[in-house]
Amino acid sequence: MGEKVDSIVDHPMFKPHIASVAMTYELAQDPKYYDLMTAESHLTGERINRFTHIHQSTQEIMTKVRMLRLMGQKTGTCFQRCVGFDALNTLYAVTYDMDEKLGTDYHQRFKKYLRRVQGEDLMVAGAMTDTKGDRGRRPHKQDDPDLYLHVVEKRDEGIIVKGAKNHITGAVNSHEIIALPTRAMAEEDKDYAVTFATPVDAEGITLVLGRQTNDTRRLDGEIDPGNTRYAILGGEALIIYDDVFVPRERIFMCGEHAFTGPLVQIFSSHHRVNYGGCKVGVADVVIGATKRIAEVNGVDGAYHIRDKLSEMVHLAETCWACSLTCAHEGLRTPSGACVVDPLLANVVKLNVTRFAYEWMRLAQDIAGGAIITLPSERDYNHPIIGKYMEKYYSTKKDIPTETRIRLFRLIENMAVGAGLPEALHGAGSPATLKIMIERSIDIEEKKALAETIAGIREDKHFQNIWGMDEGEYFKEFRENRRITK
Amino acid sequence: MGEKVDSIVDHPMFKPHIASVAMTYELAQDPKYYDLMTAESHLTGERINRFTHIHQSTQEIMTKVRMLRLMGQKTGTCFQRCVGFDALNTLYAVTYDMDEKLGTDYHQRFKKYLRRVQGEDLMVAGAMTDTKGDRGRRPHKQDDPDLYLHVVEKRDEGIIVKGAKNHITGAVNSHEIIALPTRAMAEEDKDYAVTFATPVDAEGITLVLGRQTNDTRRLDGEIDPGNTRYAILGGEALIIYDDVFVPRERIFMCGEHAFTGPLVQIFSSHHRVNYGGCKVGVADVVIGATKRIAEVNGVDGAYHIRDKLSEMVHLAETCWACSLTCAHEGLRTPSGACVVDPLLANVVKLNVTRFAYEWMRLAQDIAGGAIITLPSERDYNHPIIGKYMEKYYSTKKDIPTETRIRLFRLIENMAVGAGLPEALHGAGSPATLKIMIERSIDIEEKKALAETIAGIREDKHFQNIWGMDEGEYFKEFRENRRITK
Amino acid sequence: MGEKVDSIVDHPMFKPHIASVAMTYELAQDPKYYDLMTAESHLTGERINRFTHIHQSTQEIMTKVRMLRLMGQKTGTCFQRCVGFDALNTLYAVTYDMDEKLGTDYHQRFKKYLRRVQGEDLMVAGAMTDTKGDRGRRPHKQDDPDLYLHVVEKRDEGIIVKGAKNHITGAVNSHEIIALPTRAMAEEDKDYAVTFATPVDAEGITLVLGRQTNDTRRLDGEIDPGNTRYAILGGEALIIYDDVFVPRERIFMCGEHAFTGPLVQIFSSHHRVNYGGCKVGVADVVIGATKRIAEVNGVDGAYHIRDKLSEMVHLAETCWACSLTCAHEGLRTPSGACVVDPLLANVVKLNVTRFAYEWMRLAQDIAGGAIITLPSERDYNHPIIGKYMEKYYSTKKDIPTETRIRLFRLIENMAVGAGLPEALHGAGSPATLKIMIERSIDIEEKKALAETIAGIREDKHFQNIWGMDEGEYFKEFRENRRITK
Amino acid sequence: MGEKVDSIVDHPMFKPHIASVAMTYELAQDPKYYDLMTAESHLTGERINRFTHIHQSTQEIMTKVRMLRLMGQKTGTCFQRCVGFDALNTLYAVTYDMDEKLGTDYHQRFKKYLRRVQGEDLMVAGAMTDTKGDRGRRPHKQDDPDLYLHVVEKRDEGIIVKGAKNHITGAVNSHEIIALPTRAMAEEDKDYAVTFATPVDAEGITLVLGRQTNDTRRLDGEIDPGNTRYAILGGEALIIYDDVFVPRERIFMCGEHAFTGPLVQIFSSHHRVNYGGCKVGVADVVIGATKRIAEVNGVDGAYHIRDKLSEMVHLAETCWACSLTCAHEGLRTPSGACVVDPLLANVVKLNVTRFAYEWMRLAQDIAGGAIITLPSERDYNHPIIGKYMEKYYSTKKDIPTETRIRLFRLIENMAVGAGLPEALHGAGSPATLKIMIERSIDIEEKKALAETIAGIREDKHFQNIWGMDEGEYFKEFRENRRITK
């Protein structure tokens, strides 16, 4: 808001984001969540925060999805730490492949960096989306070359980069930022094929916190923000890299444009599967809040209320089920890191872009109009107006009016505002997802199935793409659908 | 916000609402909109603002719907004056029927009141929704009898009323408030069957302005609010009537509970048909903004963008078409005032509760994530950060960055926030609409059609409910579907 | 079915179609439907069947829509006569314009032809859709030039045509067939810009009746077909023109390719608006049947049943309302014939392509699985099996089992099968409709609205508040749109 | 059709069903499908057809789902053998529990029976749905006590049963039929709590094959049926039990009404999860056919075609993912047999009831109107008409017209007709599924999540993060749900 922030931990605009990501540390200390929140580092054998772990099996990716649902349930919002988590897992696999094919030493550098992240339990933001300028033109065709982040100078000891990354979740309260290319780059765009890590306060970096729905409500009291402790989103920021120097050991790709495609695909798949975890956790909260407000309003027995609540559950569980299968059907890359099924990752996210709108619409429907007309907390604290509100917002003797007010505010926070566009655009917008689905399937096999049944061709007993024993399946998957090929 | 407002016209939190309703006065002065915005009073023959007019034909109701679309297009938001407008038309018809059947003199009183409203071109708020307490209990069964507005004392010269009305659009900036019963009342609830008008500043009335999405953005500059001149909603308020005295000539129903049903039905039908006018005008604005941001981003030629824009138009025009037919198929009541088709009024509103979500979702989809992450206007005005924003939010040479920023903010204002729950709950929530649809049709006739074709019964050439010449139609309509019967 | 039919009126495969179209003659004799089913010819002043009438006002187009709903209610299926009806209205307007601009005499020829159609109350099929070959190529680029119907020879006394028309509703039982171009033709395709009428049995014409869902059920008894008297569709046929000679006076366009665009647009608009009439009449029948089977099954009181029935009504009435407004907002062409609003015509049809599936799905849902598993009528007539069926398909003492069986068969007939693809493709498929919607609006005006509110431009007070614009037809349309009201 | 069938294997109306179920035997012989189609019997250690296997792990249930997708891909229709398969698995678990709690010997009897089924690789139909009479009344309250199947006499050596089972898939071509109660039975209905197996030709049993869409097409040639070898559905029949004697060793429940609830729940869960396997296999075929017809028509490059094909894939894969997770999240019952997650089983099926309609609608959309207007195979074989069809249905030189015709017929077979109502009602209709979803979740936990975040209650750190709870079955389920992983 035009003001330089000296200490983000003390600034009331930042506290909610920080409280949310802090939960990733807090729950990791809780013995109850030991299995979900921590993992054994394959590098050191130490028990580490799972948010810094490299998935060693597809079951571990399922565990990640379960952890994200838990986190969504506990915070009711974005906890910001999975972008960096996914970036770590992506770079682990891609740097390995680069070294194998190009003889580079990125994987070793990266493992050293990862060891520190795991050891110090760092919060790492992942910075992928460029500002992009004219969407109709490739990076090197833009009027201003800086509209995508790129290398402007190479030196022996490192590189100088310039550009910006947009909508970066959790950036303002992270320890580290990993910048990744936002799309597959061709030869002409190779200066844009750059991946590296910097501390959040590296020289030349400026972060500008974006505005979000009702952001200044945080300054208006404890009840009005709705989610009393956490935020509505993850504190998205614009990161400006103004001639930032990155030392050699923090560079994980620099010009190898052929690997930007696999990098983007692995990262997006990892990131898309998350939405069937975290958003479903958020949905659990909103379903609970909606049921509770229905009871408080005295309408919980009505058939249409019960039917709508079932619908909300149905939609949320559909997203959940897609995520778990997407993880289960993943494979192990040559690096040892496991990745998810790329087709289903897009299916997960596409469902979230639709169903989140629907379940939030149902929450708004059941809660009623007060979520957008309720007077303020300051009015509630006013000696005269407060008494009027106490009287006129009451419903039943045994339910405190404040309970009802808090539920309205919570539903407003979750169902009305920036949460939905985030569910739409975060990790990939619908049009992108549809195209990836088209690319991920083997349509020739499906045509052969149809032609056989229509009597147009003999059944050639083609290998089917999902079936058989697990071993066969993974072989097939690797050969035919391998995202890194 | 806990603060008493001395002059609402000077307070920045109220200016946008007032600017929006002011447009109903401004456009009425514009010769271009003479036919749409003004009408000839059937009481005086004077040319009056259409917002105070009693519909003399169904074509005039169609004109009202066209006027509302115009108003939506000009303000991009709620202009607050139709609730009172619909209350006037409802009371005109219902007081006439009451007098006819009960020998009361409500209609004369009301006509006198109406003459003043028309003559002075007053802004009248309509106050219908009670605070309702426990939705599972009737008014007189509530723990606190004041949870519905009711008469607490009757005197010769007038009555004393107590209770509150909730979510009242435009109340804070109206001249007059007409209070109406929120539901059909039975004998036991007859103290709640009360309708009357008061000046907005009558003794005993307190208004508390509700909070809405991003309400305090108005204090943050000119660009950040999105809709630079108007609001996101209509300044909904809680109205508390604390032993308010209403003089005899301002009372239009007092205890005649049998007429609360017709009153509610006529009012809701009038009000529901509006949503295919005003919200479609708002949709026109958001469609234009979305097309423009697509051009600015360089993606307007993409098939999926074009397809989504067509979809937005399709959905909006569907609502529009439903409203016009609903008006066209209306009838003239014995009072001379025309009313709309009650079945189609519910159909209109039910479509709006669904399609507004869809067109706003598509606007969010096309606009992109910046609608929820864009830095603030104060950052844009900052000497250093402003330059960064100028650089990194640019797309094409010939398009000023500020244009893009303003478009993002406008779409945020319209598509993200309180506008959608308003489209859902205003004038009736989905469950109510579904029930009214069930009640409005003659299912026996449809069964007879089916049984005839299935060979189960002889065709008895039953009168069909919509068809034939106009005269026949109105007769049928009156006899079979008459809302006031 | 590989067999030449000598007398179609006596053949059991044709009787249901004929019974359905016969209803257009029967109801016209019924005084009850005089206003709906007949009209006054503007050519002769005689009372004629409305299916041969040229619309003299937009109110008359509304009356047409009402007539189509009645016909749908009475037959529960397609009655086949509106394609020719729309062709007559289209040619009346387009031949007038051609003569005005080109000095031809098509309009006089056409009026003479029309006088005979009206006088003899002929059933006229409209033959528009060509077989089209490779959809990716224009007519003259096809491997076989006959894949679109075209002129192969011109003589003084007439022309020779060759090609075929596909999916032609009612063709096998019509008196006359009018062939029209299926798309706008460019200069190179001008041999394909041909419009003419022939008797159904003209030399060189062969008709092949297409197969439809359960078509041979007609041979299996009285109950099994479901719709006891009528059909599931309109007896669609392939018409082959094998060097057919068309005399001069029956030619209404021959090479004037510039008029194919307007012809196609006026025809499609006329035809698309129908679907909110006839299909809604069909929906009335299926809603009645569904309500009745719910009662028979003992589930009509369940909330979800009531809610689904309301939904069916809601969807049907939405299509209905769109059609009426589309007619109401039409205009008078220079010829005097009135046409509908082209934007809303596409909106009507697009809604039908979606909602018909939904209401039929709900009918299937409520009716239950017996609609696809019920034993045959022959089993029901079997001495032993029939008793078992009587016993096991009964539900309540006072309801004959046969009633239940007939309702299942009626719902099967209407909700399961070819009716839905017909609702999808007839009069234009979704992708076409979406493109027409895009073309029919004036997006520049909507952009101006948004920019004004966003503070980017001054309000230019543009005039057209619900508008559209594209090409001459639309321009004229906009300027004249209110003349008929 | 009123006719007694002597040899079903030779009757052309039965061949398609039999060919479809025969594929379950054929593929089990194919080494390529060894892992999918066969399993190791836990009773004998022999390799058996998986359709007779008791699931020993949740991974084996996932394998079942994969097998069902394969079967759907190979037949494009219902292969009828999973109802019996699910009945076997259900009875294995429930008879064990009954013996444990009641000291009966059902489990031993059942294991003996199962051994024979596995050893002889029998086709077992599962007969669950009763004819039900008036749905508003319980079994013992019906006018006719036989409207639900019940015990009419108990003898030492067995029981006599009477009643009927409706819509029974594959019954006419099975070796054995297992009858199960259709709903949870209370004390008063205990005569209806009966489960037993009979040979298909037991004395007193009569089967009446139901009619289905285009059933007699099978008699009209090879191309017209669409699916050249298989059927449109599974040959659903009405089974009448007219005083059938069932010997003791074939009775697996007789009066133990308290176990009907668990039986129905386990069975329905097993059966509902199937639909994300078999219907997705069917979807693979229809997607392939649709892509191929788009190519043949020359429209496969159009964006809207590609987008719709992606949508079809997306919807199918969503159902698939739900089924796999539902299996993965299952548990081992005390009997050793594994069962699926009951919440997700309902989620799977509810998605199928919606998405199958959508993907079939898209198939109809892309294929075009010829799927409902194409002339018959006999016309195609006619010397003159055949040539016309050859000419006018051609699109590109290198594609035989017959290929196009066969594709239209295949899509007609799969997308237009009884397949959709089957997807709707088979294994449970939407209203039932919604209610089961409501019952399967632990809403109290979700409320606690919301209240914690709203600041209304302290976090009680409840444990179950994805949870549910209802009754003993669910409780056990929750406690054990991770044992098999």
Side-chain angles (χ1 to χ4, degrees), chain B residues 4-279:
Chain B
K4 187 173 176 192
V5 177
D6 290 320
S7 166
I8 63 155
V9 293
D10 298 316
H11 196 291
M13 287 296 283
F14 293 77
K15 275 187 172 165
H17 309 141
I18 295 174
S20 181
V21 77
M23 188 68 100
T24 68
Y25 292 88
E26 188 184 327
L27 293 186
Q29 310 302 320
D30 188 332
K32 191 176 304 119
Y33 303 119
Y34 181 81
D35 287 341
L36 276 183
M37 298 294 303
T38 69
E40 189 187 298
S41 170
H42 73 294
L43 296 178
T44 63
E46 301 286 312
R47 202 74 197 176
I48 56 172
N49 192 309
R50 187 175 295 280
F51 278 101
T52 66
H53 182 57
I54 302 303
H55 314 298
Q56 299 299 307
S57 68
T58 55
Q59 283 293 332
E60 282 202 340
I61 311 183
M62 295 182 93
T63 305
K64 164 185 143 178
V65 174
R66 297 182 202 275
M67 171 179 72
L68 300 182
R69 185 165 183 175
L70 174 71
M71 285 298 309
Q73 289 182 333
K74 292 295 188 187
T75 62
T77 186
C78 175
F79 35 89
Q80 312 145 50
R81 213 172 161 185
C82 42
V83 196
F85 185 9
D86 297 330
L88 297 175
N89 274 274
T90 302
L91 292 180
Y92 194 88
V94 173
T95 54
Y96 183 94
D97 288 352
M98 288 166 69
D99 289 3
E100 286 291 296
K101 285 180 191 141
L102 308 174
T104 48
D105 66 342
Y106 289 125
H107 193 60
Q108 287 316 310
R109 285 185 209 172
F110 182 73
K111 281 211 289 194
K112 200 172 150 198
Y113 177 76
L114 177 64
R115 208 176 290 255
R116 192 169 74 84
V117 169
Q118 290 184 343
E120 300 180 18
D121 198 1
L122 299 179
M123 156 74 179
V124 180
M128 188 168 224
T129 308
D130 287 277
T131 52
K132 293 187 191 165
D134 181 349
R135 271 73 179 152
R137 288 183 275 171
R138 309 278 300 275
H140 73 282
K141 293 278 193 188
Q142 297 290 332
D143 293 333
D144 178 343
D146 303 339
L147 290 173
Y148 286 75
L149 178 66
H150 62 134
V151 178
V152 290
E153 191 185 331
K154 290 188 194 177
R155 300 183 193 160
D156 283 355
E157 67 277 25
I159 55 176
I160 310 286
V161 297
K162 194 174 169 83
K165 293 285 186 177
N166 209 354
H167 327 299
I168 307 307
T169 295
V172 290
N173 46 272
S174 61
H175 302 106
E176 290 276 322
I177 302 171
I178 295 180
L180 308 145
T182 201
R183 49 168 293 171
M185 300 289 175
E187 174 74 27
E188 306 92 311
D189 292 320
K190 74 178 173 192
D191 287 344
Y192 297 86
V194 61
T195 301
F196 58 87
T198 57
V200 70
D201 55 357
E203 204 180 324
I205 286 186
T206 305
L207 290 89
V208 190
L209 184 68
R211 296 216 69 172
Q212 285 159 359
T213 315
N214 290 333
D215 46 6
T216 55
R217 286 270 184 103
R218 296 161 194 178
L219 314 176
D220 293 346
E222 190 214 354
I223 297 177
D224 277 7
N227 186 329
T228 53
R229 267 179 290 178
Y230 314 113
I232 192 164
L233 280 191
E236 279 63 28
L238 173 69
I239 306 178
I240 298 141
Y241 293 85
D242 205 354
D243 289 334
V244 173
F245 171 73
V246 185
R248 193 176 166 74
E249 67 271 18
R250 283 174 159 275
I251 302 169
F252 310 125
M253 173 186 284
C254 185
E256 297 81 2
H257 64 88
F259 287 82
T260 49
L263 181 150
V264 169
Q265 287 217 24
I266 294 180
F267 175 82
S268 341
S269 297
H270 268 314
H271 202 45
R272 284 167 193 165
V273 79
N274 297 349
Y275 279 68
C278 63
K279 296 294 178 196

Side-chain angles (χ1 to χ4, degrees), chain C residues 15 35 59 87-88 126 161 188 201 221 252 276 284 357 389 433 436 478:
Chain C
K15 275 186 174 166
D35 286 339
Q59 283 294 333
L88 296 175
V161 296
E188 307 90 312
D201 55 357
F252 310 125
D284 286 330
Y357 280 78
M389 285 179 67
L433 306 169
M436 290 309 301
R478 191 180 51 198

Side-chain angles (χ1 to χ4, degrees), chain A residues 2 167 214 357 364 373 379 425, chain B residues 2 167 214 357 364 373 379 425:
Chain A
H167 324 301
N214 291 333
Y357 280 78
Q364 295 175 8
T373 67
D379 290 316
H425 289 294
Chain B
H167 327 299
N214 290 333
Y357 280 78
Q364 295 174 8
T373 67
D379 291 315
H425 289 294

Side-chain angles (χ1 to χ4, degrees), chain B residues 231-456:
Chain B
I232 192 164
L233 280 191
E236 279 63 28
L238 173 69
I239 306 178
I240 298 141
Y241 293 85
D242 205 354
D243 289 334
V244 173
F245 171 73
V246 185
R248 193 176 166 74
E249 67 271 18
R250 283 174 159 275
I251 302 169
F252 310 125
M253 173 186 284
C254 185
E256 297 81 2
H257 64 88
F259 287 82
T260 49
L263 181 150
V264 169
Q265 287 217 24
I266 294 180
F267 175 82
S268 341
S269 297
H270 268 314
H271 202 45
R272 284 167 193 165
V273 79
N274 297 349
Y275 279 68
C278 63
K279 296 294 178 196
V280 174
V282 169
D284 287 330
V285 178
V286 93
I287 290 166
T290 304
K291 170 72 173 180
R292 190 72 191 116
I293 196 74
E295 291 170 355
V296 167
N297 289 347
V299 296
D300 53 306
Y303 180 90
H304 79 94
I305 299 287
R306 292 170 49 206
D307 188 61
K308 284 167 186 166
L309 278 161
S310 276
E311 183 67 20
M312 293 171 77
V313 170
H314 167 68
L315 297 170
E317 296 293 335
T318 296
C319 296
W320 172 241
C322 289
S323 273
L324 286 185
T325 294
C326 176
H328 186 273
E329 302 290 285
L331 62 79
R332 174 164 290 117
T333 66
S335 71
C338 287
V339 296
V340 300
D341 179 298
L343 168 58
L344 291 177
N346 290 285
V347 168
V348 169
K349 182 70 218 304
L350 190 52
N351 280 325
V352 171
T353 66
R354 298 168 178 185
F355 295 166
Y357 280 78
E358 191 58 16
W359 70 59
M360 290 306 186
R361 193 177 72 91
L362 292 169
Q364 295 174 8
D365 187 352
I366 294 173
I371 54 171
I372 53 164
T373 67
L374 192 70
S376 70
E377 180 174 353
R378 291 184 195 168
D379 291 315
Y380 191 49
N381 294 332
H382 185 279
I384 298 162
I385 302 300
K387 273 180 205 139
Y388 282 134
M389 287 180 66
E390 193 68 42
K391 176 183 175 77
Y392 287 112
Y393 285 103
S394 74
T395 57
K396 298 173 179 179
K397 275 183 188 152
D398 57 342
I399 298 169
T401 298
E402 188 180 317
T403 290
R404 192 164 176 240
I405 287 174
R406 282 179 178 269
L407 288 166
F408 282 136
R409 285 290 175 224
L410 176 60
I411 295 172
E412 181 195 19
N413 170 287
M414 299 182 74
V416 185
L420 289 177
E422 200 284 324
L424 188 72
H425 289 294
S429 307
T432 307
L433 306 170
K434 292 296 277 290
I435 289 167
M436 291 308 302
I437 288 171
E438 185 186 25
R439 285 191 196 156
S440 303
I441 61 162
D442 185 345
I443 192 70
E444 292 307 314
E445 282 191 322
K446 292 185 201 289
K447 281 162 56 184
L449 291 168
E451 291 180 335
T452 304
I453 290 178
I456 299 166

Side-chain angles (χ1 to χ4, degrees), chain C residues 2 135 144 146 167 210-214 220 224 242 297 357 364-365 372-374 379 388 391 425, chain D residues 2 135 144 146 167 210-214 220 224 242 297 357 364-365 372-374 376 379 388 391 425:
Chain C
R135 271 74 178 151
D144 178 343
D146 303 339
H167 325 300
R211 296 216 69 170
Q212 284 160 0
T213 314
N214 291 333
D220 293 347
D224 277 7
D242 205 353
N297 289 347
Y357 280 78
Q364 296 175 8
D365 187 353
I372 53 164
T373 66
L374 193 70
D379 290 316
Y388 282 135
K391 175 183 176 78
H425 289 294
Chain D
R135 272 74 180 150
D144 178 343
D146 303 339
H167 324 301
R211 295 216 69 171
Q212 285 159 0
T213 314
N214 290 332
D220 293 346
D224 277 8
D242 205 352
N297 289 347
Y357 281 79
Q364 296 175 8
D365 187 352
I372 52 163
T373 66
L374 193 70
S376 70
D379 291 315
Y388 281 135
K391 175 183 175 78
H425 290 294

Side-chain angles (χ1 to χ4, degrees), chain A residues 3-55:
Chain A
E3 168 192 340
K4 189 175 174 191
V5 178
D6 289 319
S7 167
I8 64 155
V9 293
D10 298 316
H11 196 291
M13 288 294 283
F14 293 78
K15 275 187 175 166
H17 309 142
I18 295 173
S20 182
V21 76
M23 189 67 102
T24 68
Y25 293 88
E26 187 183 329
L27 293 185
Q29 311 301 319
D30 188 331
K32 191 177 302 119
Y33 302 120
Y34 180 82
D35 287 341
L36 276 182
M37 298 295 302
T38 69
E40 187 187 299
S41 169
H42 73 294
L43 296 178
T44 63
E46 301 286 312
R47 203 73 196 177
I48 56 173
N49 192 308
R50 187 176 294 281
F51 278 101
T52 65
H53 182 56
I54 303 303
H55 314 298

